Amino acid sequence: MNNWLTRDNLIRWAPLLVLLALICLFALIEPRFFSVRNAARIAIASTPALMVAIGVTFIIIMGSIDLSMEGTVSVCAVIFAFAFIALGGTLASFAWLALPLALLVGAAVGLLNGLIHVRFKIPSFMCSLAIGFVGTGFALLLTGGDRVRVEDELFRSLLTIRFLNFPIMVYVALACLVLAWFIQSHTKLGRNFYAIGGGEELATSSGLNVGRVRALAFMLAGMFYAIGALLAVGRIGIAETATGNNFMFVSITAVVVGGTALWGGIGGVWNTLVGVLIVNVINNGMVVIGLPNFVQDAVLGILVITAVVLSTNRKTVAFVK
Amino acid sequence: MSTFIKDFIEREKVSRRNFLLASAYGISGAAALKMFGPSPVQAATHDDPAIAWSYRNRTNPYWNEIVSGGEAFVESLGKSKDALVHLINEGSSEKSLADVKALMAKESGKVALAIDTNDAPNCRPVVEAVAAAGGYVSTIWNKTDDLHPWDFGDNYVSHMTWSDEKPAEQTARILLDAIGGKGGVVHLGGIASNNPAIERLQGLKNALKDYPDVELLDAQPADWDTQKANQIMSSFITRYGDEISGVHCANDTIGYGVLEALRAEGMDIPIVTYDGNPQAVDLVREGRILATVFTNPHWGGGVTASLAYHAATGAFKPSEEPNEHREFYGPTIMVTPQDAADFKAKYLENVPTYDWKDFWGPSNGQIQYK
């Protein structure tokens, strides 16, 4: 046997193999699945979810969890849309300021989340879930239940203008992915996420200010949620309280299916890319091959378990809780 | 659906029917006993009952409109709109019932409640809890077929629902005519188990019977969600491509997602929606949506609260009203490009001031059970 075919290597590449297998499977059943146009459709559906999933990847690498994405996305989307329209309603005017404003709002919500989690020593699960609810409520307060349309052709060119068959929003997402990879692999902050996830006591005794890193991680995640919100608004041209719906399920599933372990220290943003693609290939493929809806949910559930079994090395885990 | 699942559902229906028959017997037995003695709960009226609306939440434009109608009614009484008590169930029947019981306890039953009980089986316990406390309740949408207001004297004031099959069939005909009576259509539906979702798809199927050259290519639930509808429509385009000549959507929010999926592909094919939300009406006026159906949720929300309130104050006695005033269909108005501008001016730009004591004027006849 070739020496590269080790269990470690298999586990490492399992998510990608699962993705390729799925693509082959769907393409065999329905050849129309395998086309550039459909790849673009899957990519469009994936971009907002990818941004949100990258955000939560940083948190999961630390062994924490962040469930505030739905509220944060809604708040960022709604504030962006209001500011965008108030400042002129087209990217060619001062309305472009709404873009950095949305990022600031995302960062602020994330930082608040992180500070409450660290200062009051509330488990990240509870704290972020609560902040998420607050966010959804706040977005509802701002909109009063209405939806805000963002009709600017220039902003909507994220979706409508294509370059090599893919709309601009896909390239924006790819650029953000590379940025996330850079933060993860080439900055002290990124390396510290792994240090905390691999062993928090060890990181603390090595002199790392764990609280500070955690708070910054939540802030960074919030900024990626904000980018996700912008792309979500760019995709359908509407900002509303429901903009954040479903992002929790999709992003956490994608991170886990991509091979980032929920106990921390393992995985990264490339795994998340593969995970998001797996989830969206399944969603697209099951409609394309004509599976009934109730089967789709069941298949997705089975796939999550299968992917976790295949892609994580559970031998090194002392206990499961 | 496999025969196994079909059989299972059929069996469950039968055993549920037996159970309902048995419980109906139990109730009528109890009623017969009551004839020989005074009933423990007399329908006492209240001078100034608390007015409450119990609903899912306000994020959905439809429910937002319903509740704004409730607020308009409260304001018509000379109260501030904050006087309306909001019981928000967030899609949980358990919370819905618990909230109602808590409110009844807090106000000692002096309550006029308007409610959508979230799902049909939850309607009976809610109505029983209100009646036992001496409150007054009017329901919309969800109710089992064996439960009737007239079985509860005055306390269960009324039930209103909307029959979506006919209007959905009309929008379908507009769509099928627009594509010239041939080609393929797809349907994007609501949450698969929701009654309106089932009726709106059935409406399309009814219309299709008269159009033998049109094929229903696919129907998938989009859960009333814009983003989900957007993704499903993209997948439909992959699978059927140019075979799709028209899209039938179960509501406006689904329609928005479909329009954006078509825009991303540079496609322009006719679509019809449902609900008549302001933005959808604008899109109808621009000709981007061929038709939508307005169910006047503002009026529905207001008049449901009004019915419960006026029964509670004794302004009218529900038990003296005929059955078609206790169980009735809400209004439906078709909006097409020709009349969209008029419609918008009349219903949306200036919300009409309704006479909240005209309980049944705009309604659409007594509910029929199949």
Side-chain angles (χ1 to χ4, degrees):
Chain A
M1 188 164 289
N2 294 330
N3 55 1
W4 53 267
L5 197 65
T6 59
R7 183 170 160 75
D8 275 357
N9 261 335
L10 259 184
I11 284 172
R12 197 160 177 205
W13 294 100
L16 193 61
L17 294 176
V18 169
L19 176 63
L20 294 176
L22 280 169
I23 293 174
C24 293
L25 179 75
F26 287 128
L28 277 176
I29 300 176
E30 174 60 68
R32 271 177 282 195
F33 173 86
F34 198 73
S35 65
V36 178
R37 300 289 290 181
N38 196 41
R41 282 166 206 141
I42 294 173
I44 293 170
S46 305
T47 47
L50 175 64
M51 293 300 102
V52 174
I54 286 176
V56 78
T57 302
F58 294 135
I59 309 295
I60 292 180
I61 288 175
M62 295 192 307
S64 300
I65 191 94
D66 185 351
L67 303 178
S68 68
M69 58 280 280
E70 297 196 346
T72 311
V73 166
S74 297
V75 169
C76 292
V78 167
I79 291 185
F80 162 75
F82 277 133
F84 190 80
I85 288 165
L87 291 170
T90 166
L91 272 188
S93 67
F94 277 112
W96 66 269
L97 285 169
L99 297 170
L101 176 70
L103 293 185
L104 277 180
V105 171
V109 176
L111 185 63
L112 178 72
N113 197 355
L115 286 177
I116 293 177
H117 160 53
V118 172
R119 296 273 170 215
F120 295 104
K121 293 195 191 306
I122 299 173
S124 55
F125 175 87
M126 264 342 283
C127 171
S128 60
L129 190 63
I131 291 285
F133 288 145
V134 173
T136 307
F138 186 59
L140 184 57
L141 197 70
L142 288 175
T143 58
D146 290 332
R147 15 185 75 220
V148 191
R149 283 192 86 90
V150 180
E151 288 288 3
D152 177 32
E153 286 297 326
L154 208 54
F155 178 65
R156 295 306 308 283
S157 64
L158 273 176
L159 175 75
T160 50
I161 294 187
R162 292 188 183 224
F163 185 67
L164 296 177
N165 286 315
F166 287 86
I168 296 177
M169 61 191 291
V170 174
Y171 298 100
V172 172
L174 279 180
C176 294
L177 175 67
V178 172
L179 175 71
W181 166 77
F182 183 81
I183 294 172
Q184 165 197 298
S185 304
H186 294 277
T187 64
K188 213 161 99 188
L189 185 66
R191 304 313 302 161
N192 285 342
F193 296 157
Y194 284 95
I196 293 176
E200 190 160 343
E201 285 88 353
L202 198 60
T204 314
S205 52
S206 314
L208 181 63
N209 185 344
V210 172
R212 186 169 162 275
V213 173
R214 279 185 180 279
L216 284 176
F218 277 94
M219 189 174 96
L220 189 62
M223 292 178 81
F224 274 95
Y225 299 160
I227 301 173
L230 294 176
L231 294 179
V233 176
R235 185 163 65 114
I236 57 171
I238 295 171
E240 54 173 337
T241 316
T243 304
N245 283 7
N246 294 331
F247 275 115
M248 192 196 295
F249 174 77
V250 171
S251 59
I252 304 269
T253 309
V255 170
V256 172
V257 168
T260 299
L262 279 176
W263 44 83
I266 306 167
V269 294
W270 295 108
N271 294 69
T272 300
L273 172 68
V274 174
V276 169
L277 287 176
I278 288 178
V279 172
N280 280 291
V281 160
I282 293 173
N283 279 338
N284 174 285
M286 285 198 292
V287 177
V288 170
I289 65 169
L291 272 188
N293 178 265
F294 53 90
V295 181
Q296 295 176 15
D297 289 343
V299 171
L300 198 60
I302 292 167
L303 247 128
V304 171
I305 296 177
T306 315
V308 174
V309 168
L310 285 179
S311 63
T312 51
N313 190 352
R314 279 148 293 117
K315 272 188 186 151
T316 57
V317 179
F319 50 86
V320 175
K321 54 183 175 179
Chain B
M1 212 187 309
S2 75
T3 51
F4 168 75
I5 297 174
K6 256 189 201 149
D7 291 348
F8 177 76
I9 291 174
E10 201 48 46
R11 220 170 38 237
E12 287 304 296
K13 266 194 201 154
V14 171
S15 62
R16 206 168 132 240
R17 199 172 300 144
N18 290 342
F19 171 69
L20 291 174
L21 283 174
S23 32
Y25 171 77
I27 288 168
S28 49
L33 279 178
K34 273 188 197 163
M35 284 163 59
F36 300 102
S39 150
V41 180
Q42 288 292 348
T45 56
H46 315 296
D47 292 336
D48 188 23
I51 307 168
W53 238 116
S54 167
Y55 55 98
R56 184 180 303 170
N57 61 37
R58 280 192 101 146
T59 53
N60 180 302
Y62 177 82
W63 286 106
N64 193 34
E65 279 294 303
I66 289 264
V67 179
S68 71
E71 289 171 341
F73 164 68
V74 171
E75 283 175 326
S76 79
L77 296 173
K79 301 174 184 229
S80 120
K81 75 176 178 188
D82 298 335
L84 182 70
V85 180
H86 298 259
L87 305 178
I88 296 169
N89 64 42
E90 291 288 358
S92 156
S93 301
E94 289 74 21
K95 183 164 190 307
S96 158
L97 179 59
D99 285 354
V100 168
K101 285 183 171 169
L103 182 70
M104 290 301 147
K106 177 173 171 244
E107 303 286 347
S108 321
K110 293 190 182 67
V111 174
L113 173 69
I115 185 169
D116 169 32
T117 58
N118 187 57
D119 63 19
N122 190 39
C123 193
R124 181 176 288 279
V126 164
V127 167
E128 284 176 352
V130 175
Y136 290 80
V137 59
S138 287
T139 56
I140 65 169
W141 282 120
N142 283 295
K143 174 182 87 61
T144 48
D145 290 355
D146 64 318
L147 180 74
H148 303 290
W150 48 82
D151 292 334
F152 288 83
D154 292 326
N155 294 94
Y156 188 1
V157 181
S158 67
H159 177 77
M160 170 161 54
T161 191
W162 281 260
S163 170
D164 294 347
E165 211 172 302
K166 273 277 166 226
E169 186 181 327
Q170 277 175 278
T171 62
R173 285 178 191 283
I174 292 174
L175 178 73
L176 299 175
D177 286 337
I179 63 173
K182 58 175 190 289
V185 292
V186 290
H187 171 87
L188 289 94
I191 295 170
S193 60
N194 282 179
N195 213 25
I198 296 165
E199 288 188 353
R200 291 173 195 184
L201 175 57
Q202 190 56 45
L204 170 64
K205 287 180 177 166
N206 292 349
L208 280 169
K209 285 177 194 153
D210 296 335
Y211 293 82
D213 295 335
V214 181
E215 187 192 354
L216 177 58
L217 297 168
D218 210 335
Q220 290 273 348
D223 301 354
W224 314 116
D225 185 87
T226 308
Q227 301 194 54
K228 185 155 188 202
N230 185 274
Q231 288 175 24
I232 291 179
M233 191 62 215
S234 322
S235 308
F236 278 164
I237 294 171
T238 299
R239 176 143 198 235
Y240 303 106
D242 295 334
E243 288 173 57
I244 308 174
S245 21
V247 188
H248 190 263
C249 308
N251 79 346
D252 293 336
T253 42
I254 291 174
Y256 305 144
V258 169
L259 280 178
E260 291 304 326
L262 293 173
R263 179 197 280 216
E265 304 290 334
M267 289 171 75
D268 186 19
I269 55 175
I271 84 167
V272 292
T273 63
Y274 205 107
D275 279 352
N277 288 327
Q279 279 166 9
V281 173
D282 281 339
L283 291 167
V284 171
R285 211 172 41 162
E286 294 163 20
R288 293 174 60 200
I289 296 178
L290 273 187
T292 182
V293 179
F294 183 62
T295 51
N296 208 345
H298 183 87
W299 180 80
V303 84
T304 306
S306 173
L307 276 161
Y309 175 81
H310 287 106
T313 58
F316 81 107
K317 204 167 162 52
S319 54
E320 287 168 2
E321 296 291 334
N323 283 358
E324 67 255 35
H325 285 177
R326 311 285 302 269
E327 281 189 356
F328 52 88
Y329 288 119
T332 47
I333 303 168
M334 185 74 52
V335 186
T336 58
Q338 292 83 40
D339 49 31
D342 279 354
F343 171 84
K344 190 178 177 190
K346 191 170 164 203
Y347 285 97
L348 303 178
E349 273 163 359
N350 321 292
V351 175
T353 318
Y354 292 102
D355 173 7
W356 296 118
K357 281 192 156 182
D358 177 16
F359 303 128
W360 303 288
S363 69
N364 234 342
Q366 190 179 345
I367 296 174
Q368 305 296 320
Y369 296 100
K370 283 184 186 164

